[in-house]
Amino acid sequence: MTTHYLVLSALLFAIGGVGVLVRRNAIVVFMCVELMLNACNLAFVTFARQNGNLDGQLIAFFVMIVAAAEVVIGLAIIVTIFRTRRSASVDDVSLLKY
Amino acid sequence: MPWLSTLMGVSVLGALGVTLVRNDKLAKQFTLVVSLIVLALTVAMAVQFSPNGDKFQFAETYDWIPAFGVHYGVAVDGIALVLILLSVILVPIVVLASWHDAEAGKRSVRTYFSLLLVLEAMMIGVFAATDVFLFYVFFEAMLIPMYFMIGSYGGAQRSYAAVKFLLYSLFGGLLMLVAVIALYSIAGKGTFMFTDLVGTIQDVTTQKWLFLGFFIAFAIKAPLWPFHTWLPDAAAQAPAGAAVLLVGVLDKVGTYGMLRFCLELFPDAAKFFTPLVITLSVIGIVYGAIVAIGQTDMKRLIAYTSVSHFGFIAMGVFAMTTSAGAGATLYMVNHGFSTGALFLIAGFLIYRRGSQFIADYGGVQKVAPILAGTFLVAGLSSLSLPGLSTFVSEFMVLTGTYQRYVVPAVIATVGVILAAIYILWMYQRTMNGPTAESVKSLPDLNAREKWVVAPLVALLLVFGFYPKPLLDVINPAVKDTLSSVSVTDPQPAVPVAQEGQ
Amino acid sequence: MEPAEIIQHSGGAIGAAWLMIALPLVGAAVLLLGGRRTDKFGHLLGVLMAVASFVVAALSFVQLLGLAPGERRRGIELYDFIPGLAKVGLLVDPLSISFCLLITFVGSLIHIYSIGYMAHDPNRRRFFAYLNLFVAAMLLLVLADNYVALFVGWEGVGLASYLLIGFWQHKPTAATAAKKAFIVNRVGDFGLLIGIFTIFATFHTLAFDGVLANADKASSGTLTAIGLLLLVGACGKSAQLPLQSWLLDAMEGPTPVSALIHAATMVTAGVYLIVRSGPIFLGTETAQLVVTIVGVATLLAGAIIGTAKDDIKKALAGSTMSQIGYMVLAAGIGPAGYAFAIAHLITHGFFKADMFLGAGSVMHAMNDEVDMRKYGALRKVMPVTFVTFLIGYLAIIGFPLLSGYFTKDGIIETAMEHNAVLGWLAVLGAGITGFYMSRLVFMTFFGTKRWEPTAHPHESPAVMTVPLIILSIGAIGLGAFLILGNRFMTFLAPAVGAPEEMPSFHPFSLTGLVTLALVAVGAALAWMKYGRAEVPVVAPRGSFLTTFARRDLYGDALNEALFMRPGQWLTRLAVFFDNRGVDGLVNGLAAGIGGTSGRLRRVQTGFVRSYALSIFLGAALLAGAWLVVGNL
């Protein structure tokens, strides 16, 4: 019965992963990362339900908090980059290499 | 009284003190005083040493990392004692000799002298360490001050030389670290103390691997052929004083390590690898001398002579006879004085003219007879002229080696002829002949420089005619070492019973 | 007769024999350390120390004579030099005291002579310091009671020789000659050192006492090896074939040096070594044979070189080589020859020093000109030099009743009895000696003046001529004194042994007469070519043989072709190999690691999405691997 949830979770995760790889806009990449995180959350909650304990739910909360913190820092960086470069493309930010 | 810790403590405190002194001149004087105090303390300790007493004396042992059985353990036997004496005698001489050496560059003069004192503490520590882990720590830590002395105060190619020196030595050191840890865990005694580890490794195959780990580190340090190429670069680029400590003391840690650790910890492996080591040594003796003949740069030439000399020392260590072992130990001390004198006087000459190339000199004897005369004495000690202390040690090494390995000893004796060629040819090209235009106005040695050279020449002469005080300390320690390797001297074909002989 | 036992001794002049070494050593130290402050009295101090050393030697000699012949080997303990290897002591016995007397007496005279000869040299003090150093080292060499101390003295005289040959070191030729002398001697030392190692490995002692008394217990193979190795050392120091090449170049040194070191004393050290190590050579006929062959070959080679040299000192140097060849020949024969070898060594010390100093006197008068073709007719202007030189000349060619007559003929007779071939070759050598020495005397003192226009020859001052006179007295009478009645052989017997049957001296033996006749022929030939006939100022090209002799029998050319050029080539090759091969390997390894990481870092492109891709791929890889492994 939980299979459907897990399939949905896997689909969401795959969509997110493909998005991270193919999109150039930093905001969209970010959204895709969020999608992947939430796919994981769905899986966690599903397992919690299946196992009948709260461990998975607990970790889902952790992930949400980490995701929130990440969004704050990530968006701040993206906004700063956008201000200086007038672009939100991740491919333009490639100075940190070699 | 905790003598050894006091010696190191005084040096380290002195090093800190030097950095606090505001005035450069005062800093130099302060360094000189500190190094002289260390010398006086060491002499005071040495006279209390009883050659026929316990093997290790002035022992101090404190737990350092109890979880792994690492101790702060220091003590000396006869071999370590004479090497510590060598170090603390050379340091004040080097301080006096490097009076103006650090001023040429933009780096702080005080730092140079502070590094000298730090190095002194580490040199004492490395010879005194009785805990294998502590020995390793000093072995590696010594590189740091020397790296800065070469890299910050050296010649034109100093950074190349310093990095090469550091990486090469580190490579050897890491092999040794692996062997040290393996020794600890295989022995299973839960301690790194040297005396507890002797005789614990019985399996010959294990011994061989651990031996190689230690030996390669020491062969790089010493340096033995073919691990020698960092030395000419480092010695040629280092300021003369640092070169003296590098070749005179730091490199001795390699040969000392062979005698102390390779032989005593892994006796069976040492015997197994003896043919290899003797072969490398003999190649080094002849090869170093031949390459020295072909050098155009004075300091590189002296460095290559040392490659040849280290061949003699390693051969003496692995010949495993009393006179070769004692001779090798004495060689370490004498070579320090002899090469020290050679490097320092060459340094004075180079400081005056600003060139290391032999071709830029000629006829210096005419304008600076004392400089030339002392240079000749130092050179003669490098070619082991009887009457100078180097002869005694070379003679002992060769006599002892010949008792067991005739052919290597004979080939090594060729080094005696080659030594005459490289020294006298260099002397002729720099000091004899018509005076070159560029050296016409060179001043002779000044009072400070005479004070640098005089003690070295005096030591070479005194121990050349009367090496007994040193040998009385060295002989029992070497005999003890050889008995723990369980070898005995070969018997003569015609034994002549003679008292005391 | 076997050598006597060594008896430990203390007290008296013999007990203070170490003073002989110490006094000149102190002199040298004071003069070298004192620097310019001692310039004023440096030469006087040098002479004083040498003379004081002679006084000690003479007193020791007198004390030794007071003992019974069997008790004349006295050992004096000094101190423990290398614990476990060698104690240092002195051995005063008839052999060593003979050398001491020769060294200190001739040495003192040459010191005195040098006051005049070096009067105008700004570094005269240093010269005397080196001379004192030499005397000390030479005395240590002959007084040592073991091979290590002997070697210390051996190298000490080598050092003094190096310093003195190169005394005028601003001259490149002098500096090169000094270096050459030292290096060739080191080749000899190589042999001597290995000989000493073999002695220690065999006997576990290096004291003469222990080694020589037990030599007969060692195998003959070992003794042959030791003997040949010691001979190599002797060849180096005594300029015997094949290590002779340095001696002729050594004439670059001031003439008193040539007289003292390169004629009278140091170059005879090889003979001393062979005689001192007699018991070793007695156990090995092979080594003895080689010694005699080396001696004969050198006595002929030296004589041949002497015939063609126009440089007066080099002609005398060739003669020195030749005369030492005689001594080595005699030393190789055994106890029958030892006394003659040492007796000839002593008389040679006198007459050759006499002639060298005479040559110095001539050079002093002729503005340091050494080319005999620019001499001639000097007998009138330099009467004292001429007469003393003439005595030395007559002594060396073996003119009846002079020193060389007794000692050299003794060697020839002994050699003849030992081996007729060697004997006749030695006779031939004597004939050539007659030729080249006569040539030298005729070219220098007879004939016409061929002087440079600037030369104004004059007799030398008394400080130089008095030593000449004293030395020539020795050249006249010493031979007869030593040889007649086997006086010297009896005296030496406790130290080196003696043949069972003492030889008797026949004034008119067949060999002696043939020798005299050959010498006369040689002298006559020289008179025809260089006395009666005009000597050309520029040397004629000469035949192949003349060139052969002039070029030192191509010894230098041989050394150059065999050792020097290949050596230089080898050196260059080694330096190249070290820089490119050994160091190249190290640097190559470093460059390889550096290059690899340089390429690897290109993976860091800076594009976030490529990093993300690699993370995904890595994760997929890990998951895949887990699936595979998990299903196994």
Side-chain angles (χ1 to χ4, degrees):
Chain A
M1 181 200 150
T2 50
T3 321
H4 297 100
Y5 295 101
L6 289 179
V7 169
L8 179 61
S9 163
L11 279 175
L12 286 174
F13 189 87
I15 292 167
V18 172
V20 169
L21 287 181
V22 300
R23 298 305 297 261
R24 288 205 183 82
N25 191 308
I27 306 283
V28 178
V29 172
F30 225 76
M31 306 283 264
C32 291
V33 171
E34 291 302 312
L35 199 57
M36 287 163 74
L37 287 171
N38 282 319
C40 293
N41 280 349
L42 183 57
F44 275 124
V45 173
T46 307
F47 287 129
R49 166 110 182 146
Q50 190 178 23
N51 293 341
N53 61 21
L54 289 177
D55 290 359
Q57 309 231 7
L58 197 70
I59 291 180
F61 273 106
F62 266 108
V63 173
M64 278 186 218
I65 291 161
V66 169
E70 187 206 321
V71 166
V72 171
I73 296 169
L75 279 180
I77 293 172
I78 290 168
V79 169
T80 322
I81 290 172
F82 185 77
R83 273 192 189 153
T84 54
R85 307 213 148 203
R86 290 279 138 208
S87 152
S89 167
V90 285
D91 285 2
D92 289 349
V93 197
S94 64
L95 285 179
L96 204 63
K97 61 182 172 185
Y98 301 155
Chain B
M1 178 169 173
W3 283 102
L4 292 159
S5 299
T6 312
L7 291 177
M8 285 186 262
V10 171
S11 309
V12 171
L13 287 179
L16 290 176
V18 172
T19 57
L20 299 177
V21 181
R22 283 269 153 253
N23 173 330
D24 277 351
K25 192 169 178 211
L26 210 59
K28 291 174 191 173
Q29 290 163 348
F30 183 77
T31 314
L32 186 61
V33 170
V34 170
S35 60
L36 286 174
I37 291 172
V38 175
L39 173 60
L41 284 171
T42 313
V43 171
M45 176 183 86
V47 293
Q48 292 178 33
F49 184 85
S50 57
N52 297 311
D54 291 345
K55 179 171 182 183
F56 287 105
Q57 298 179 26
F58 312 118
E60 299 166 49
T61 314
Y62 308 101
D63 282 347
W64 179 18
I65 311 175
F68 296 108
V70 177
H71 301 83
Y72 169 83
V74 287
V76 289
D77 68 346
I79 300 168
L81 181 72
V82 292
L83 289 170
I84 290 176
L85 269 172
L86 165 73
S87 320
V88 299
I89 291 173
L90 280 181
V91 170
I93 291 173
V94 164
V95 169
L96 202 57
S98 338
W99 214 247
H100 299 298
D101 276 6
E103 283 161 12
K106 288 177 186 142
R107 309 286 179 149
S108 151
V109 176
R110 277 169 289 150
T111 312
Y112 183 81
F113 287 93
S114 178
L115 286 172
L116 266 176
L117 287 177
V118 172
L119 190 62
E120 176 167 35
M122 287 174 173
M123 292 187 304
I124 296 169
V126 78
F127 290 124
T130 50
D131 183 286
V132 182
F133 192 85
L134 185 70
F135 172 81
Y136 170 77
V137 169
F138 278 123
F139 185 84
E140 295 286 54
M142 271 191 328
L143 300 176
I144 299 164
M146 188 46 81
Y147 170 78
F148 284 111
M149 284 165 82
I150 299 173
S152 301
Y153 302 91
Q157 291 196 301
R158 54 181 179 268
S159 41
Y160 167 75
V163 169
K164 191 172 183 178
F165 158 74
L166 187 74
L167 288 183
Y168 217 140
S169 306
L170 270 182
F171 170 72
L174 291 177
L175 287 182
M176 186 169 119
L177 178 63
V178 175
V180 167
I181 294 169
L183 174 68
Y184 170 80
S185 53
I186 294 171
K189 291 269 198 157
T191 175
F192 278 101
M193 286 302 285
F194 172 73
T195 39
D196 296 333
L197 289 171
V198 170
T200 48
I201 309 284
Q202 296 293 343
D203 179 50
V204 179
T205 318
T206 318
Q207 274 199 18
K208 283 179 193 167
W209 285 107
L210 296 182
F211 175 92
L212 281 179
F214 277 84
F215 179 76
I216 292 173
F218 296 144
I220 288 172
K221 196 91 191 175
L224 277 195
W225 188 88
F227 304 110
H228 64 276
T229 52
W230 63 269
L231 182 69
D233 286 327
Q237 295 303 322
V244 171
L245 292 181
L246 175 66
V247 181
V249 183
L250 261 61
D251 290 354
K252 302 295 160 34
V253 180
T255 44
Y256 165 80
M258 291 178 200
L259 184 57
R260 163 84 4 108
F261 297 102
C262 287
L263 251 53
E264 287 202 54
L265 289 175
F266 319 112
D268 300 321
K271 282 176 205 158
F272 176 81
F273 284 111
T274 294
L276 175 74
V277 182
I278 298 255
T279 310
L280 291 183
S281 311
V282 170
I283 293 175
I285 291 169
V286 176
Y287 178 92
I290 290 178
V291 178
I293 294 171
Q295 293 303 309
T296 51
D297 174 317
M298 245 183 273
K299 281 164 108 180
R300 283 182 75 88
L301 192 155
I302 302 170
Y304 274 108
T305 69
S306 295
V307 173
S308 181
H309 292 309
F310 282 114
F312 276 106
I313 300 176
M315 187 175 80
V317 169
F318 278 86
M320 296 192 209
T321 57
T322 321
S323 79
T329 312
L330 189 63
Y331 209 130
M332 295 184 214
V333 179
N334 290 333
H335 175 260
F337 297 138
S338 144
T339 305
L342 213 47
F343 262 122
L344 290 178
I345 300 169
F348 295 154
L349 191 62
I350 291 164
Y351 181 79
R352 284 167 163 67
R353 168 74 175 77
S355 165
Q356 305 199 158
F357 290 101
I358 296 171
D360 289 340
Y361 297 87
V364 174
Q365 199 276 335
K366 193 96 178 165
V367 289
I370 301 176
L371 194 156
T374 49
F375 194 59
L376 183 63
V377 174
L380 292 173
S381 76
S382 183
L383 61 80
S384 300
L385 190 86
L388 297 168
S389 59
T390 42
F391 164 72
V392 178
S393 39
E394 196 162 302
F395 185 80
M396 290 177 75
V397 166
L398 288 171
T399 312
T401 309
Y402 188 90
Q403 283 175 272
R404 192 166 273 136
Y405 306 104
V406 173
V407 175
V410 170
I411 300 173
T413 313
V414 174
V416 170
I417 303 173
L418 297 173
I421 297 176
Y422 60 65
I423 290 295
L424 295 183
W425 197 33
M426 171 171 73
Y427 184 78
Q428 186 191 353
R429 284 180 290 170
T430 51
M431 303 296 177
N432 290 347
T435 309
E437 202 55 48
S438 53
V439 301
K440 280 230 161 88
S441 56
L442 292 194
D444 210 340
L445 294 188
N446 60 31
R448 172 180 64 85
E449 290 163 335
K450 282 182 196 160
W451 274 107
V452 169
V453 177
L456 289 172
V457 171
L459 286 166
L460 287 171
L461 276 170
V462 168
F463 291 133
F465 283 101
Y466 195 59
K468 195 166 180 288
L470 287 178
L471 282 172
D472 280 347
V473 174
I474 293 170
N475 268 332
V478 168
K479 277 188 186 131
D480 193 272
T481 304
L482 290 183
S483 74
S484 76
V485 189
S486 63
V487 287
T488 48
D489 286 353
Q491 284 308 302
V494 181
V496 179
Q498 268 208 329
E499 42 90 32
Q501 289 275 358
Chain C
M1 195 172 126
E2 294 290 310
E5 296 271 317
I6 296 174
I7 301 164
Q8 288 306 312
H9 181 98
S10 61
I14 296 176
W18 56 273
L19 274 176
M20 269 192 260
I21 302 166
L23 286 169
L25 199 60
V26 168
V30 168
L31 295 183
L32 284 177
L33 295 177
R36 296 245 162 254
R37 276 168 295 232
T38 54
D39 269 356
K40 281 220 171 65
F41 59 89
H43 50 289
L44 298 178
L45 182 73
V47 170
L48 179 73
M49 288 306 178
V51 172
S53 192
F54 170 68
V55 171
V56 179
L59 290 175
S60 307
F61 177 60
V62 171
Q63 197 188 351
L64 203 65
L65 284 182
L67 298 166
E71 293 172 1
R72 283 186 187 161
R73 305 195 81 192
R74 317 299 285 190
I76 299 130
E77 278 187 16
L78 289 184
Y79 68 100
D80 200 358
F81 178 40
I82 308 179
L85 266 183
K87 289 181 176 177
V88 167
L90 302 182
L91 174 60
V92 179
D93 70 353
L95 180 62
S96 61
I97 203 75
S98 305
F99 270 89
C100 290
L101 287 171
L102 173 74
I103 295 159
T104 52
F105 184 71
V106 175
S108 299
L109 289 178
I110 290 173
H111 272 75
I112 294 167
Y113 176 94
S114 304
I115 296 178
Y117 191 83
M118 300 297 283
H120 304 295
D121 196 296
N123 290 315
R124 182 166 67 168
R125 164 191 57 88
R126 205 150 48 81
F127 183 77
F128 275 90
Y130 294 161
L131 276 188
N132 267 203
L133 177 67
F134 169 76
V135 170
M138 188 72 204
L139 288 169
L140 175 62
L141 196 168
V142 296
L143 281 171
D145 75 343
N146 65 72
Y147 283 99
V148 182
L150 176 138
F151 189 73
V152 174
W154 188 269
E155 291 284 276
V157 294
L159 171 68
S161 160
Y162 168 79
L163 293 170
L164 286 165
I165 296 171
F167 186 72
W168 290 314
Q169 47 182 322
H170 50 88
K171 279 175 30 189
T173 46
T176 308
K179 184 187 65 184
K180 181 177 176 185
F182 198 96
I183 290 170
V184 175
N185 265 297
R186 275 261 149 162
V187 177
D189 296 345
F190 168 77
L192 178 55
L193 270 175
I194 294 174
I196 294 175
F197 302 154
T198 317
I199 290 174
F200 186 78
T202 313
F203 300 100
H204 262 213
T205 175
L206 289 169
F208 292 147
D209 200 6
V211 175
L212 300 179
N214 295 288
D216 50 346
K217 290 181 199 134
S219 71
S220 73
T222 314
L223 290 180
T224 307
I226 297 175
L228 291 178
L229 289 164
L230 295 182
L231 176 66
V232 173
C235 283
K237 192 81 13 185
S238 291
Q240 299 294 292
L241 290 176
L243 300 175
Q244 83 294 355
S245 64
W246 64 273
L247 184 64
L248 291 157
D249 290 5
M251 295 299 126
E252 286 288 340
T255 310
V257 173
S258 312
L260 178 61
I261 302 185
H262 305 118
T265 54
M266 183 190 85
V267 283
T268 58
V271 182
Y272 170 79
L273 180 68
I274 295 172
V275 173
R276 177 59 85 195
S277 311
I280 290 174
F281 285 93
L282 282 185
T284 159
E285 284 184 6
T286 320
Q288 277 190 305
L289 181 68
V290 177
V291 173
T292 51
I293 289 173
V294 165
V296 167
T298 312
L299 83 85
L300 288 174
I304 292 169
I305 291 172
T307 57
K309 289 288 175 187
D310 292 330
D311 178 328
I312 187 169
K313 286 179 73 182
K314 293 205 171 173
L316 284 173
S319 151
T320 304
M321 257 175 76
S322 171
Q323 298 302 312
I324 297 170
Y326 277 104
M327 299 170 208
V328 170
L329 165 65
I333 291 172
Y338 289 157
F340 291 114
I342 305 298
H344 191 55
L345 193 157
I346 293 171
T347 56
H348 173 258
F350 275 82
F351 60 68
K352 187 52 74 55
D354 178 27
M355 283 192 285
F356 257 115
L357 294 184
S361 176
V362 170
M363 286 163 56
H364 200 66
M366 301 290 284
N367 297 340
D368 286 330
E369 178 61 62
V370 290
D371 189 349
M372 292 190 289
R373 292 183 184 277
K374 294 179 181 159
Y375 291 169
L378 285 171
R379 68 179 183 281
K380 300 229 176 69
V381 277
M382 310 183 69
V384 182
T385 306
F386 169 62
V387 172
T388 52
F389 200 99
L390 196 67
I391 292 169
Y393 156 69
L394 292 174
I396 195 177
I397 62 171
F399 193 79
L401 304 183
L402 267 67
S403 284
Y405 171 70
F406 292 100
T407 53
K408 200 192 326 176
D409 276 15
I411 293 176
I412 293 175
E413 299 271 1
T414 321
M416 197 67 85
E417 267 173 46
H418 182 72
N419 181 330
V421 178
L422 296 177
W424 286 113
L425 287 173
V427 171
L428 178 65
I432 306 176
T433 309
F435 173 75
Y436 75 76
M437 284 311 301
S438 308
R439 171 180 179 268
L440 195 157
V441 169
F442 295 145
M443 280 176 92
T444 306
F445 293 102
F446 292 84
T448 50
K449 296 176 186 174
R450 301 178 300 273
W451 308 342
E452 291 279 306
T454 48
H456 302 290
H458 51 87
E459 185 56 273
S460 299
V463 73
M464 288 165 72
T465 51
V466 170
L468 285 175
I469 294 166
I470 298 173
L471 286 169
S472 57
I473 292 171
I476 294 172
L478 209 51
F481 175 77
L482 293 175
I483 300 299
L484 289 181
N486 287 321
R487 193 177 278 123
F488 193 58
M489 190 173 275
T490 320
F491 175 65
L492 273 190
V496 298
E500 293 304 324
E501 198 181 336
M502 287 281 177
S504 52
F505 181 76
H506 302 292
F508 299 109
S509 69
L510 174 69
T511 328
L513 289 175
V514 173
T515 310
L516 274 182
L518 266 180
V519 169
V521 170
L525 274 175
W527 171 250
M528 293 208 296
K529 202 150 186 283
Y530 300 97
R532 211 180 50 188
E534 184 68 15
V535 179
V537 175
V538 179
R541 263 189 79 233
S543 64
F544 165 72
L545 277 174
T546 320
T547 321
F548 184 57
R550 256 187 215 143
R551 302 272 315 265
D552 309 341
L553 315 183
Y554 292 109
D556 279 341
L558 195 74
N559 285 344
E560 207 166 288
L562 275 186
F563 301 107
M564 224 174 91
R565 302 221 171 278
Q568 287 172 338
W569 183 78
L570 181 69
T571 307
R572 275 196 289 273
L573 185 77
V575 172
F576 180 81
F577 174 71
D578 199 57
N579 288 339
R580 297 292 157 80
V582 183
D583 201 27
L585 208 65
V586 175
N587 285 343
L589 201 66
I593 293 171
T596 312
S597 39
R599 244 159 249 127
L600 269 177
R601 71 180 186 173
R602 295 272 159 201
V603 173
Q604 305 288 324
T605 53
F607 290 108
V608 179
R609 292 185 306 143
S610 70
Y611 298 162
L613 181 62
S614 61
I615 293 172
F616 276 108
L617 285 180
L621 210 66
L622 276 179
W626 182 76
L627 280 177
V628 172
V629 176
N631 290 345
L632 277 179

